[in-house]
Amino acid sequence: METLITILVGVLVTVAVYLLLSRNLIRVILGTAILSHAVHLLLMTMGGLKKGSVPLLGENAANYTDALPQALILTAIVISFAVTSFLLVLAYRTYQETESDDLSALRGIEDE
């Protein structure tokens, strides 16, 4: 199962890099969103699935699970959603001002 998830992470990173190298602003934003999801999935896979009891004092369990990786990934998901939302609003405002979403046209200089 872990090898399938690793292959999925590789495919997501490949798609994200392809989108990031695009000239379209929306594709670049979608590439950053997909890349962040690939990193979240990779971190979750690296953390592994651990079975055990909740980490409470006074419990006499042999194995405890650590909730820190899940909490950090959840925080990272919220932050990446906020950044993606901000970038989409920024792209919309840029399109309103310049009427273009081509990154080479937004550079402001002519190619030689």
Side-chain angles (χ1 to χ4, degrees):
M1 183 68 176
E2 291 176 359
T3 57
L4 291 174
I5 295 176
T6 307
I7 292 171
L8 177 65
V9 168
V11 169
L12 286 175
V13 168
T14 304
V15 169
V17 168
Y18 175 75
L19 289 174
L20 283 172
L21 294 176
S22 175
R23 297 173 96 184
N24 191 343
L25 188 59
I26 297 297
R27 287 185 181 182
V28 171
I29 294 170
L30 289 176
T32 58
I34 291 173
L35 185 63
S36 68
H37 288 304
V39 170
H40 299 153
L41 190 59
L42 179 66
L43 290 174
M44 195 69 163
T45 304
M46 288 174 56
L49 178 64
K50 297 180 178 69
K51 297 179 181 174
S53 180
V54 294
L56 296 175
L57 295 175
E59 292 267 333
N60 292 329
N63 293 332
Y64 292 109
T65 57
D66 188 16
L68 185 64
Q70 288 86 4
L72 291 175
I73 291 171
L74 181 63
T75 305
I77 289 171
V78 171
I79 291 170
S80 68
F81 177 72
V83 168
T84 303
S85 300
F86 174 72
L87 289 176
L88 284 172
V89 169
L90 191 63
Y92 178 70
R93 184 70 181 140
T94 302
Y95 183 76
Q96 279 184 336
E97 290 293 320
T98 62
E99 296 181 358
S100 175
D101 63 346
D102 188 18
L103 289 177
S104 60
L106 292 175
R107 286 175 55 194
I109 58 173
E110 296 293 324
D111 291 331
E112 296 181 34

